[in-house]
Amino acid sequence: MAAAHTPRESAHAAAQGVCQALGGSFAAISKWERELGKLRVLVNTGELADGEEEFPDDESYPVHEFPEIAGFVHEQWAGGGESSAWVEEAAGGPAGTPAQEEREGGRGNTQRVAALRRRGRGCCVVAPIVLHGRAWGELYVARRTGEPVFGRADADFAGVLAAVTAAGIAQTERLAEVRRLAFTDSLTGLANRRAVDMRLDEALELHRSDEVVVSLVVCDLNGLKRVNDSRGHAVGDRLLERFGSVLSLCGAMLPGTLAARLGGDEFCLLAVGPPADEVVKVAGELCDRAGELDLGEGVAVGVASTGDPIGEVRSPRRLFRLADAAQYKAKAARSGEPVVAGRHGGKDDPVVRLADAPDRRPGPERRRFRR
């Protein structure tokens, strides 16, 4: 689990390790989605029955079918007690804790017992996963019919393994949050420049290998300095947030597009796959919607796409220079429409020539962003 990079990898490693440690034939880890009232299966491992998938897209069960999770166990945790694992047996009642037998009158959970029989399993041990003092989900390990039934010692060991699993999940979630913060702009919630650089490198690899169209829309929000100077930075931040929402909405019109704030008043859309014409259309929509904001003075937009006649694009820097030069031209002309590199004379486009010329102004990767 410590080597996992994603929550899914972490859950998979935990399920495999616990299945082996308990001598099971099958293991699963599920998460309690409180807002939906469901126990959602994250991973199944081992001998899968018909209909089971290793990483199911939508295998979930209503929590009310599992009162030991939604009721008794949660109340036990809330009261400061320790969670305990229990055993279910397909052939009869539970071989679990006395507390469970007292709670259920000596009868096992009918849904679990039915599932065991349906899938050819003789018994299972279930251990709650507790994270930050709350029910996070459960660990489930089963054995084949005819194999020894789990006993009290197995249930106790499952509880220990669930605690180890919880620690691993907590670490993975912390790392995921760190990664999210590292690639997210804190004000707008959009991606940041670091995220754009990584995605653009990957996109251009696809362009070189499979000729996938890669398009970059660079935006400079007009009037931010005036708003900051006349109405204060809090209002300026509100303008940035509102434009960020507009950018996100327009980016959603192109599947898989990354919407980002490069810094200061500069934003971009990175589209991988859609034809250049579709990207230009969305860039026009972005100009229209930005012009309707009650703050600011619209936006200057430049577009560069490998789907247009802009010459060979070998590096992210090249595409950024083209889009930035087009945006600079749109700003100078106070254009209410996007300026598109390569669409005013092909390679003789002044925008392309500007991008090919020696630096006349810092590129976006070296510019000191304005606030």
Side-chain angles (χ1 to χ4, degrees):
M1 294 183 75
H5 296 290
T6 66
R8 188 170 84 162
E9 290 178 4
S10 181
H12 186 253
Q16 285 186 320
V18 171
C19 189
Q20 181 178 359
L22 283 167
S25 62
F26 170 85
I29 289 183
S30 304
K31 183 175 182 179
W32 183 2
E33 296 186 333
R34 294 167 181 266
E35 69 279 11
L36 300 176
K38 292 182 177 181
L39 201 62
R40 181 169 64 87
V41 179
L42 301 180
V43 59
N44 295 309
T45 189
E47 297 176 3
L48 306 185
D50 291 342
E52 289 179 332
E53 299 177 359
E54 188 173 27
F55 297 107
D57 291 329
D58 187 26
E59 183 183 351
S60 59
Y61 305 92
V63 174
H64 71 263
E65 294 183 358
F66 303 95
E68 66 274 13
I69 287 289
F72 173 80
V73 174
H74 178 60
E75 291 170 5
Q76 185 182 21
W77 297 335
E82 295 183 1
S83 58
S84 57
W86 62 92
V87 175
E88 301 280 1
E89 186 178 356
T97 65
Q100 183 193 18
E101 294 173 358
E102 178 181 349
R103 181 176 78 257
E104 297 181 349
R107 291 178 292 115
N109 182 294
T110 56
Q111 286 80 14
R112 291 191 193 276
V113 171
L116 286 171
R117 293 170 179 167
R118 185 171 62 251
R119 293 165 179 165
R121 294 166 185 152
C123 63
C124 68
V125 59
V126 185
I129 298 173
V130 183
L131 201 60
H132 309 307
R134 301 181 64 186
W136 183 91
E138 70 166 35
L139 181 67
Y140 177 101
V141 182
R143 286 177 177 167
R144 306 177 194 89
T145 299
E147 292 186 342
V149 175
F150 290 113
R152 181 66 262 169
D154 295 312
D156 290 341
F157 187 34
V160 174
L161 294 173
V164 175
T165 298
I169 290 171
Q171 174 180 312
T172 305
E173 290 187 347
R174 284 194 296 269
L175 291 174
E177 179 64 10
V178 169
R179 292 189 186 98
R180 185 190 68 80
L181 293 174
F183 294 102
T184 303
D185 176 63
S186 59
L187 178 63
T188 63
L190 300 174
N192 61 16
R193 178 59 190 262
R194 185 182 292 108
V196 174
D197 287 342
M198 289 188 62
R199 182 74 65 87
L200 188 53
D201 282 338
E202 296 169 355
L204 289 180
E205 283 294 330
L206 286 174
H207 171 66
R208 286 188 284 268
S209 62
D210 302 329
E211 299 185 348
V212 173
V213 175
V214 179
S215 305
L216 191 65
V217 180
V218 173
C219 316
D220 191 290
L221 189 58
N222 298 326
L224 178 62
K225 186 177 186 303
R226 179 189 61 78
V227 171
N228 282 336
D229 292 345
S230 63
R231 304 182 63 177
H233 284 270
V235 178
D237 285 349
R238 193 185 316 154
L239 171 59
L240 290 168
E241 289 178 286
R242 289 183 179 178
F243 179 70
S245 297
V246 170
L247 185 74
S248 178
L249 185 150
C250 291
M253 298 176 184
L254 299 166
T257 292
L258 182 71
R261 182 187 177 200
L262 298 175
D265 56 4
E266 298 209 355
F267 295 77
C268 80
L269 291 174
L270 173 57
V272 182
D277 286 344
E278 291 185 17
V279 176
V280 172
K281 181 179 178 181
V282 168
E285 179 74 14
L286 178 62
C287 289
D288 293 342
R289 289 178 179 268
E292 296 171 358
L293 293 174
D294 58 353
L295 295 170
E297 301 167 5
V299 65
V301 175
V303 182
S305 175
T306 61
D308 282 329
I310 59 173
E312 186 177 3
V313 177
R314 295 183 177 179
S315 69
R317 176 180 170 81
R318 165 71 175 171
L319 199 62
F320 254 117
R321 284 175 60 82
L322 289 170
D324 192 52
Q327 178 270 125
Y328 185 59
K329 182 177 180 181
K331 196 173 189 72
R334 297 183 179 276
S335 174
E337 298 179 349
V339 171
V340 185
R343 293 205 173 191
H344 305 106
K347 293 184 179 180
D348 294 327
D349 185 340
V351 170
V352 176
R353 292 206 305 272
L354 176 62
D356 283 337
D359 285 350
R360 301 183 183 182
R361 59 195 287 265
E365 59 274 89
R366 298 191 310 280
R367 185 179 309 150
R368 177 177 296 174
F369 293 115
R370 299 179 299 279
R371 172 68 179 200

